[in-house]
Amino acid sequence: MYLHSLKPAEGSVKTRKRIGRGTGSGRGGTSTRGHKGAKSRSGYSQKAGFEGGQMPLQRRVPKFGFKNINRVEYKAINLDVIQALAESTNETVMNFDFFKAHGLVQKNDKVKVLGRGEINKAVEIHAHAFSGTASSSIEKAGGKTVAL
C-alpha cells in the first residue's frame, strides 16, 4: 500500500448537486427552489421561531409572573438529616466537603440548613445559609453555625 494508491471506501464519497447550471442539467431554471415565495429569493434567511406566518409558539403561549435572574438556589439540608449523619459518623464539624462526600450536595451547590426535625448533638455546621429555627436549634443543642 502506498500513499498515492489510497482511496476512500466504495460509496462513502458522493458528488454534490450542481444547481443553477442550465436547463439541460435538470437542476436549472428555479434551481430546486420552486416558484415564488420567500424561500426562492436570494438573501433569504428564516428568523428563529418563524412558523410560516402562523402565530409562533413563543407568542401563543401565555406569559405571567416574574423570573428573577439574580435568584440564588440553595440545596436544603434539614436538621433530621444532620442528626442522622452525626450519629452514624460521630463528626463534630460538618462542612461543604463533608456534605459532598456523603452525596447530599454537588460541587456547585449552595447549602441551606432548614429546621425540620430535631438535633441533640453539639455539631459545628458550615453552610451558605441557615433558617432561623435551624440556627436556634443548633445553638440550643450546644453547636455552632458558621456562614460561608
Side-chain angles (χ1 to χ4, degrees):
M1 183 186 298
Y2 297 99
L3 284 176
H4 71 270
S5 65
L6 290 176
K7 286 183 178 175
E10 193 66 40
S12 66
V13 178
K14 295 179 181 174
T15 54
R16 69 179 183 86
K17 278 185 190 173
R18 283 173 50 98
I19 59 172
R21 291 294 179 270
T23 52
S25 68
R27 294 192 185 90
T30 58
S31 300
T32 73
R33 287 169 176 256
H35 295 279
K36 298 183 183 177
K39 278 188 184 175
S40 72
R41 315 294 184 193
S42 67
Y44 169 74
S45 62
Q46 194 173 47
K47 304 283 187 286
F50 182 69
E51 297 184 17
Q54 174 174 297
M55 188 61 69
L57 183 68
Q58 72 268 24
R59 291 185 63 195
R60 288 201 295 271
V61 175
K63 290 161 216 46
F64 55 90
F66 171 75
K67 290 267 192 263
N68 185 0
I69 59 167
N70 299 316
R71 178 184 165 85
V72 179
E73 283 279 342
Y74 289 102
K75 194 75 167 189
I77 299 178
N78 281 291
L79 289 179
D80 53 1
V81 175
I82 290 172
Q83 175 66 29
L85 274 173
E87 288 171 357
S88 64
T89 61
N90 291 323
E91 279 286 329
T92 55
V93 177
M94 294 185 181
N95 56 19
F96 185 82
D97 295 326
F98 176 82
F99 294 133
K100 189 176 164 197
H102 286 83
L104 294 172
V105 293
Q106 293 173 341
K107 68 177 183 175
N108 293 325
D109 289 339
K110 291 190 185 306
V111 178
K112 183 168 185 174
V113 179
L114 301 179
R116 186 188 73 201
E118 294 177 8
I119 189 162
N120 49 30
K121 258 193 156 185
V123 289
E124 183 179 321
I125 301 172
H126 299 253
H128 295 95
F130 296 88
S131 71
T133 54
S135 58
S136 64
S137 298
I138 292 164
E139 284 160 9
K140 199 182 291 179
K144 188 177 166 189
T145 59
V146 180
L148 297 176

